């Protein structure tokens, strides 16, 4: 069966509500990553005087995500497009709310969270999905409209620019870069003319002076300095130092689950941003390879599925 025939059958199945196919490899890899995440959080927090709330919180979020996955998989994805502007607007609203005093929750000088009771939400996680749906909606226009700057690239640039600006105000440079890369890839494959894509260099040139100041430039400079000269434990690269000690001490096979030394408050954010370092210490080089392999598998299967999409 040709790719066009597969795409036609998939489109017909979606439109008639008969789409019930599940890719077992993609689902299996995703569940395996979730299970590994839970296992590592358990390993880091399951100790005397340490709260089990982090494990319970992560388990609750995974369960909630799986329910959302089950519901979303039964919905014709064309329906998402009809409400794409609403999803995008809600994403922007969430990013604005984190900047409002008494609503946004500040951690280490960054306002990226909204606190609801004992739980915290990071609106960028929802805003990112809203942007992807909205860009897909914009790029589904007839080809002749996409070839015009005013109805093709311009609305996409405005949408991405608004979201990136709000992320810089938090500040959240890593999410801003991730969103920019995702949007750029979507524009590249979304039939936007190459002569228009060249205009994206203009906002990039404007952003460079912004990145050259304050918090953003300091992080980049510290990172570059670390690899040039090496950094002592009393420098701004303390966390990088500790993470490399953690990974390096794991060797090929690791020290064993629960045997990490760095998790005892030597490595800050061990259960969040730097959990991979603890995984490398406890499960070793081969454990780290398993995680990377699962992530590549998710990417590859997602790409294969997207190639057969009818639009």
């Amino acid at each position: 069966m040709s790719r066009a025939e597969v795409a036609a059958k998939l489109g017909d199945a979606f439109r008639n509500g008969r789409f019930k196919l599940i890719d077992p490899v993609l689902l299996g890899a995703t569940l395996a990553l979730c299970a590994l995440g839970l296992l590592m959080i358990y390993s880091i927090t399951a100790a005397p005087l340490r709260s089990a709330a982090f494990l319970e919180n992560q388990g609750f979020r995974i369960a909630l995500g799986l329910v959302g996955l089950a519901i979303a998989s039964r919905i014709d994805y064309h329906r998402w497009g009809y409400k794409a502007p609403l999803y995008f607007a809600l994403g922007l609203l969430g990013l604005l709310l984190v900047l409002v005093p008494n609503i946004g929750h500040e951690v280490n000088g960054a306002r990226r969270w909204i606190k609801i009771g004992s739980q915290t939400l990071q609106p960028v996680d929802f805003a990112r999905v809203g942007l992807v749906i909205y860009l897909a909606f914009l790029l589904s226009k007839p080809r002749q409209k996409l070839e015009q700057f005013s109805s093709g690239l311009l609305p996409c640039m405005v949408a991405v620019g608004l979201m990136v600006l709000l992320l810089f105000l938090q500040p959240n440079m890593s999410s801003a870069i991730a969103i920019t890369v995702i949007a750029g890839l979507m524009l590249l494959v979304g039939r936007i003319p190459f002569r228009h894509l060249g205009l994206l260099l203009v906002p990039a040139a404007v952003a460079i002076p912004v990145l050259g100041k304050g918090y953003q430039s300091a992080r980049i400079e510290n990172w570059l300095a670390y690899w040039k000269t090496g950094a002592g434990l009393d420098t701004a690269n303390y966390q990088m130092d500790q993470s490399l000690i953690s990974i390096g001490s794991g060797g090929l096979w690791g020290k064993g689950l629960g045997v990490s030394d760095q998790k005892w408050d030597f490595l800050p954010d061990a259960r969040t941003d730097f959990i991979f370092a603890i995984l490398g210490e406890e499960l070793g080089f081969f454990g780290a390879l398993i995680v990377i392999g699962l992530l590549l598998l998710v990417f590859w299967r997602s790409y294969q599925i997207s190639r057969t999409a009818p639009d």
Side-chain angles (χ1 to χ4, degrees):
M1 186 179 293
S2 69
R3 175 179 167 184
E5 290 172 328
V6 171
K9 285 185 177 293
L10 284 173
D12 180 65
F14 265 122
R15 284 185 285 274
N16 291 286
R18 300 195 311 272
F19 190 84
K20 297 180 181 179
L21 299 177
I22 296 177
D23 184 273
V25 177
L26 178 60
L27 181 63
T30 303
L31 292 176
L33 286 167
C34 290
L36 268 172
L38 275 178
L39 182 66
M40 293 311 303
I41 289 178
Y42 172 76
S43 173
I44 293 171
T45 59
L49 304 179
R50 292 206 166 185
S51 172
F54 300 123
L55 180 65
E56 294 169 0
N57 186 25
Q58 182 73 0
F60 171 75
R61 293 183 182 211
I62 288 176
L64 196 64
L66 291 175
V67 171
L69 183 151
I71 294 173
S73 68
R74 296 289 179 172
I75 299 175
D76 178 352
Y77 71 84
H78 293 91
R79 295 183 185 178
W80 300 107
Y82 304 143
K83 297 182 180 179
L86 174 62
Y87 300 141
F88 177 68
L90 290 174
L92 291 181
L93 178 61
L95 295 179
L96 280 169
L97 286 176
V98 301
L99 303 175
V100 178
N102 300 321
I103 295 179
H105 180 59
E106 185 173 326
V107 177
N108 295 329
R111 301 181 68 88
R112 305 175 186 176
W113 298 268
I114 294 176
K115 194 164 187 177
I116 304 173
S118 61
Q119 303 290 322
T120 56
L121 292 176
Q122 197 165 5
V124 69
D125 293 333
F126 303 97
R128 185 164 41 226
V129 176
L131 178 65
V132 168
I133 294 173
Y134 186 57
L135 285 181
F137 168 72
L138 293 177
L139 294 170
S140 64
K141 297 175 184 176
R143 190 177 186 88
Q144 56 269 31
K145 287 193 174 183
L146 291 178
E147 289 181 347
Q148 299 175 21
F149 176 76
S150 59
S151 57
L153 180 61
L154 183 59
C156 298
M157 287 180 63
V158 171
V160 176
L162 282 172
M163 194 160 285
V164 168
L165 175 62
L166 291 175
L167 288 171
F168 270 123
L169 293 176
Q170 291 183 2
N172 190 348
M173 186 171 68
S174 58
S175 291
I177 292 173
I179 281 176
T180 303
V181 171
I182 291 169
L185 290 171
M186 291 185 71
L187 294 174
L188 189 63
V189 300
R191 299 176 300 168
I192 294 293
F194 282 103
R195 66 181 184 277
H196 291 166
L197 288 176
L199 295 173
L200 295 176
L201 296 175
V202 176
V206 173
I208 289 174
V210 176
L211 292 174
K213 297 179 180 178
Y215 153 82
Q216 290 88 358
S217 66
R219 289 190 65 182
I220 296 172
E221 289 169 4
N222 287 335
W223 183 80
L224 291 173
Y226 184 92
W227 297 111
K228 286 181 180 178
T229 62
L233 299 179
D234 58 344
T235 70
N237 287 312
Y238 173 83
Q239 196 159 16
M240 187 183 295
D241 241 336
Q242 294 298 315
S243 67
L244 289 177
I245 291 171
S246 182
I247 292 175
S249 63
L252 286 177
W253 301 105
K255 296 178 177 178
L257 195 63
V259 190
S260 166
D261 295 316
Q262 296 298 102
K263 71 180 182 182
W264 296 105
D265 298 328
F266 290 102
L267 176 61
D269 299 322
R271 62 175 179 80
T272 54
D273 290 5
F274 281 75
I275 194 169
F276 184 78
I278 303 298
L279 183 143
E281 182 181 2
E282 295 191 350
L283 302 184
F285 174 74
F286 289 106
L289 275 186
I290 289 174
V291 173
I292 294 171
L294 287 170
L295 290 169
L296 290 174
L297 188 58
V298 168
F299 177 83
W300 176 67
R301 294 302 289 185
S302 300
Y303 172 73
Q304 292 292 100
I305 292 168
S306 70
R307 290 192 63 191
T308 63
D311 49 35

